[in-house]
Amino acid sequence: MDAFYLVKIGEILLKLGNRKEFEDRLRSQLNRRLEGLPHKVELYPGRYFVSVPEEHAAAAEFVLSRTPGVNGFARAFKVEKSVDAVFDAALKVAAQAVGQGGRRFKAESRRSDKSFELGSFELSAEIGARVLEAFPETKVDLHQPEFTVNVEIRERAYVYGNPSPGLRGLPVGSGGKGLLLLSGGIDSPVAGYMMARRGLSLEAIYFHAYPYTSQEAKDKVVELARVVASFSGGIKLWTIPFTETQLKIKKEARDDLVTVMTRAAMMEAAGLLAERIGANSLVTGESLGQVASQTAENLRFTQSRTSLPVLRPLIGIDKEETIAMAKKIGSCEISILPYEDCCVVFSPEHPLLRAKLERETEAYEKLGLREAIAKAVTEAELIAIPYPLPPSD
Ligand code: ATP
Ligand code: MG
């Protein structure tokens, strides 16, 4: 038998004029992520249905729990629209929940097909009575149930237990494409995850300063990109050789300006690549005041090197919260590996805290980095990271 899932959506339903576009995007995201497995994705008003052969159930759940735009999903019974079939499935759902220790329950019914012989209220009441009869250890609890037996009477009848949470948000691609500045740290993978949930499809850019930064540092970024890819769909990671640019900055710039100039150069390079790949924005893991380069004044200066909007989803999030998110998405354990990224190696002891736009722009232009930056971007190396669908049972 196939594993059959009912999929709930949320924010997409609020879209008025262009809802269909969002719905089609989510459907194609699900199809793309399940590519390579036999599967079916169906769309009915307000619900998606996904089915895969039983041995691929874990892979389907991996996909459903990580695809932005999915609010929740549940393994469901799809049955004919008759009371007997519905009661039968409801008892199966209850048996499973009771087997997992559930005792307090409620039944909930929705009926978009008003011709069904029982109303929602009667249907729920009758299911409640039958569950109580079949499982005397259970008890109805409308306020804090341990499990809910859900019934939806629509084009067919669907019966399911507690849904698993989805990521919510908007389908990837509905916000266009962003270029994520991905370092080996804790913040930027979380920033990528957050923007994928807002509907940005992502490519990533990583600046390395070989031999000042190691191959291990780069491998680590590839692993982080894989984590982001599990939410955003596959990801293209561009690695940029930045040694020449950074050495030039280190040599020519006043010591306290090295960090902020390097950031500005990264923005300029990222802006160039973004133009090449058709990205509409840059995404960083910056958070206000976290380090010297992340004061409002310094952000103003560094972002002035690109005309694209710089999206910083962590700007108002404190480090503890970011770490908690990194743990949840599975990037933290990779980020805390010890290999340093390029900025640490070149960091001055006392970096400038408050850039003045005009003064620092003049200093930046004197460094004459344009050519080195353009060359670095041309020499970008592309690592295509496919969607990391886990192997099936
Ligand atoms: P993270 O933990 O994500 O590295 P951080 O706290 O180390 O952040 P910074 O090193 O100041 O902060 O970097 C700020 C942001 O600049 C990063 O979140 C990332 O978006 C970008 N960035 C920094 N270094 C690199 C790099 N080598 N390649 C690409 N992007 C980078
Ligand atoms: Mg960093």
Side-chain angles (χ1 to χ4, degrees), residues 271-341:
L272 290 177
L273 181 65
E275 215 168 288
R276 205 171 103 190
I277 64 172
N280 63 18
S281 51
L282 304 180
V283 178
T284 76
E286 290 162 317
S287 174
L288 192 66
Q290 190 185 83
V291 288
S293 58
Q294 296 173 26
T295 61
E297 291 82 357
N298 286 358
L299 294 176
R300 179 184 185 208
F301 166 63
T302 54
Q303 79 179 22
S304 73
R305 305 315 305 176
T306 174
S307 59
L308 289 175
V310 180
L311 306 179
R312 304 179 179 93
L314 302 180
I315 197 72
I317 308 275
D318 79 33
K319 194 79 188 187
E320 294 297 319
E321 288 172 57
T322 304
I323 290 172
M325 272 192 274
K327 285 185 176 155
K328 203 175 94 189
I329 68 172
S331 59
C332 192
E333 54 197 72
I334 304 166
S335 293
I336 59 181
L337 295 172
Y339 316 108
E340 293 187 337
D341 76 31

Side-chain angles (χ1 to χ4, degrees), residues 9 11 43 60 64 71 85 123 125 149 156-157 161 173 232 264 319 334 348 358-359 367 379 390:
I9 53 179
E11 203 171 334
L43 171 57
L64 290 170
N71 270 36
L123 188 55
V149 179
R156 294 168 295 203
S232 68
K319 194 79 188 187
I334 304 166
E358 275 174 32
R359 189 183 67 194
L367 296 173
E379 288 170 355

Side-chain angles (χ1 to χ4, degrees), residues 4 34 89 105 112 139 202 209 213 222 238 246 308 327:
F4 179 79
L34 290 164
F105 80 100
S112 54
K139 186 170 174 288
L202 293 173
T213 58
V222 172
W238 301 88
Q246 289 200 251
L308 289 175
K327 285 185 176 155

Side-chain angles (χ1 to χ4, degrees), residues 77-122:
F77 290 97
K78 171 178 61 175
V79 298
E80 63 175 86
K81 284 195 271 188
S82 77
V83 280
D84 286 341
V86 167
F87 291 148
D88 185 49
L91 287 179
K92 285 185 189 150
V93 166
Q96 216 163 32
V98 171
Q100 289 164 0
R103 293 295 176 265
R104 289 177 283 111
F105 80 100
K106 70 172 176 182
E108 206 161 88
S109 312
R110 296 176 178 218
R111 198 177 55 135
S112 54
D113 173 1
K114 303 291 180 202
S115 70
F116 191 70
E117 50 196 294
L118 290 182
S120 309
F121 182 77
E122 293 137 299

